[in-house]
Amino acid sequence: MAAACSREIPLTEQIEAHLRRGEVAQAVALVERASRDRPSDALIQDLRVQVLLRIDRPDAALRAYAERWGQGGPDSPALFREVAAGLLQAGLRAEDGVLRSRAAAALAEWHAHDLIPVFREALTHPEASVRALGVQGSGSCQATSRPGSSWRPSRIGRRRSEPPPPRQPSAGRIRRRRPPWKKLWPMAIPWSVCARRLRSAQSGDAGAADLLVKLLTDRNDSVRMQSAEALGHLASARTAPALRGLLRDANPYVRIYAAEALARLGAAEGRRILTGSLDHSNGSVALYAAEALSNLGDAAGSGRLVEALGPDRDPSLRLYAAWTLARLNDARGLPTLEELCRHPDAQVRMQAVWTLGELRDGVGVPGLRRSALDAAPSVRWQAAWSLAKGWEDE
């Protein structure tokens, strides 16, 4: 009888009892002590993360999870995704505008069925930009969701999952994605009523090509650019004459968009103008041409992009070059990105981390793991979202 009474209560039961009574500090103290005493026990390390998630401390949970990387511990991808999901919710609620915008953008890119509750929160957010990104992500998410699935917060004592297989290169079409930093070029594309009409037309609305051809003569340079881009994706050969008219546009960026669209339509002059623009006297125009070629899966601009990685260049140009190379599955920008992850400006570090997440075959993972312990929340949270999304894409 005495032996039965003295039997030690399992740690998970002790913690659960403290949490039920609202004794958060005692629950955390228990799991922290166990974690220090048994640093190589992966189940205990998982339990520590789960407790921190349970008490709504996702940032502390991220730090707790990240510490295992330095100890060589195994990964628990499902648990890490819960950490990233908790950070998404915390980011949407943050007072810091940078965190809110990055959380919304990460959510829009992360088309995971288990994040539907987080999407719902984004759709009721007071900021219109956050709601718009929530709509963008939730549409793709719901299209691929599985019946009866939903995201649930962590539960104490769940089993540890196996690490994912190595990431394989994507064979699909290169997607055009805008980096999180401000547009580097003078012709930034606004999110306006006209831009929404263009996106609607690109999606296949009746009369889309006719509408877009009319907009090729709009006074706004950005409207002409977006119209040309959309026509290229519509792949209507009858629009080629109108696009050729833009090859004489006064704005070099408009000419590049028109050339890319023509190249998509199979017109030889499109690629010829893009490759010729790689030698443009304005370096930003040359890099924009390299990006346009990368949209076509063409690496002709790689030399100019590598040149832009030089340490004497502006960090934004170096980031842009590394990002464009990454879209071509070219990792020559990796050393530059790892260097910029140590930049004194947190904004630059955040941009570098996002770009690391665009590298294929997992080559950016070591840098992302290091950045998950960065001093700036915007940097370490971006690292977490990039890592979690990378596992989702596999």
Side-chain angles (χ1 to χ4, degrees), residues 291-340:
E291 184 203 340
L293 286 164
S294 78
N295 294 334
L296 304 169
D298 190 329
S302 295
R304 193 66 189 255
L305 293 167
V306 171
E307 179 185 328
L309 296 173
D312 58 327
R313 301 300 183 93
D314 183 89
S316 61
L317 289 173
R318 302 175 76 195
L319 285 164
Y320 186 77
W323 171 73
T324 308
L325 284 167
R327 300 170 75 240
L328 293 165
N329 202 20
D330 186 331
R332 281 182 286 178
L334 178 59
T336 297
L337 294 176
E338 292 182 334
E339 174 199 330
L340 293 174

Side-chain angles (χ1 to χ4, degrees), residues 101-125:
S101 64
R102 290 311 309 141
L107 185 61
E109 294 173 359
W110 193 356
H111 304 150
H113 65 276
D114 53 353
L115 289 177
I116 288 177
V118 190
F119 282 117
R120 288 174 180 156
E121 181 169 338
L123 294 176
T124 60
H125 199 278

